[in-house]
Amino acid sequence: NAGVMQNPRHLVRRRGQEARLRCSPMKGHSHVYWYRQLPEEGLKFMVYLQKENIIDESGMPKERFSAEFPKEGPSILRIQQVVRGDSAAYFCASSLADNNEQFFGPGTRLTVL
Amino acid sequence: GENVEQHPSTLSVQEGDSAVIKCTYSDSASNYFPWYKQELGKGPQLIIDIRSNVGEKKDQRIAVTLNKTAKHFSLHITETQPEDSAVYFCAAGRNQFYFGTGTSLTVIP
């Protein structure tokens, strides 16, 4: 039973480019969460999605960031026109239902040059 | 929104001793309190959790206590081993979680 999968594991982008981060939840899980972790800091909630719906995006910057979880395929976190401050580890978690245990993927480490 | 504070930020213990990490939260609506262990370069791993209708929960060498009135909860690791060395995060919430800033635990052999 595979856990939460994230790819790529490492992503390097130049300022102004787009970054696309993918997350495949655990089998049977329909709830996906994205978190950002800066070096030496805790995880900051960004967005909570269910299939085809954004439930809570209160932690996501209003500009340049978007997320989706289509009916088929992985959840995507998209960052347009990246800046150096976007460099961080982005973690995806999934759960079977809301208010339930969240299981984390290995993360994508984004570096913006 | 929820605000979670975690102490201490670093903790060193001798192998075999106990380690205690404490967290406080602000939102009385939070009803789920997981603890995660994160090793270098990896994602957080759930190690134990507690819900607000329970005061204490134990799993082998790990225990968590919750005081809902005071809005604080603690992680207790007994008989620590070098492989317990990692960063530990507490979290509180309902659907989305709010994380503490982490405790870097070092177990000295």
Side-chain angles (χ1 to χ4, degrees), chain B residues 4-53:
Chain B
V4 179
E5 295 191 358
Q6 184 172 348
H7 300 280
S9 56
T10 59
L11 179 60
S12 291
V13 298
Q14 291 288 335
E15 182 177 358
D17 287 351
S18 294
V20 180
I21 303 170
K22 298 183 179 182
C23 288
T24 61
Y25 63 100
S26 60
D27 189 351
S28 56
S30 291
N31 64 358
Y32 180 60
F33 307 89
W35 286 87
Y36 287 87
K37 176 183 179 182
Q38 187 175 28
E39 295 173 326
L40 196 63
K42 296 184 178 180
Q45 247 192 318
L46 179 68
I47 56 171
I48 196 167
D49 56 12
I50 192 167
R51 296 191 182 272
S52 58
N53 59 341

Side-chain angles (χ1 to χ4, degrees), chain A residues 70-108:
Chain A
K71 189 176 179 183
E72 301 290 337
S75 175
I76 306 284
L77 179 68
R78 183 180 175 207
I79 312 173
Q80 294 178 290
Q81 299 172 344
V82 296
V83 300
R84 289 221 173 103
D86 296 333
S87 295
Y90 292 83
F91 290 96
C92 164
S94 73
S95 69
L96 195 57
D98 60 3
N99 197 224
N100 220 329
E101 297 92 334
Q102 293 183 17
F103 297 90
F104 281 79
T108 294

Side-chain angles (χ1 to χ4, degrees), chain A residues 9 33 35 37 40-45 48 56 58 91 98-107 109, chain B residues 31-32 36 38-46 49 51 89 93-102:
Chain A
R9 295 292 309 277
Y33 313 80
Y35 294 85
Q37 185 176 38
E40 309 294 322
E41 291 188 12
L43 294 99
K44 297 281 193 266
F45 166 77
Y48 164 34
D56 183 344
S58 59
F91 290 96
D98 60 3
N99 197 224
N100 220 329
E101 297 92 334
Q102 293 183 17
F103 297 90
F104 281 79
R109 278 145 189 87
Chain B
N31 64 358
Y32 180 60
Y36 287 87
Q38 187 175 28
E39 295 173 326
L40 196 63
K42 296 184 178 180
Q45 247 192 318
L46 179 68
D49 56 12
R51 296 191 182 272
F89 291 98
R94 293 185 66 89
N95 296 317
Q96 68 273 27
F97 298 153
Y98 297 88
F99 281 77
T101 48

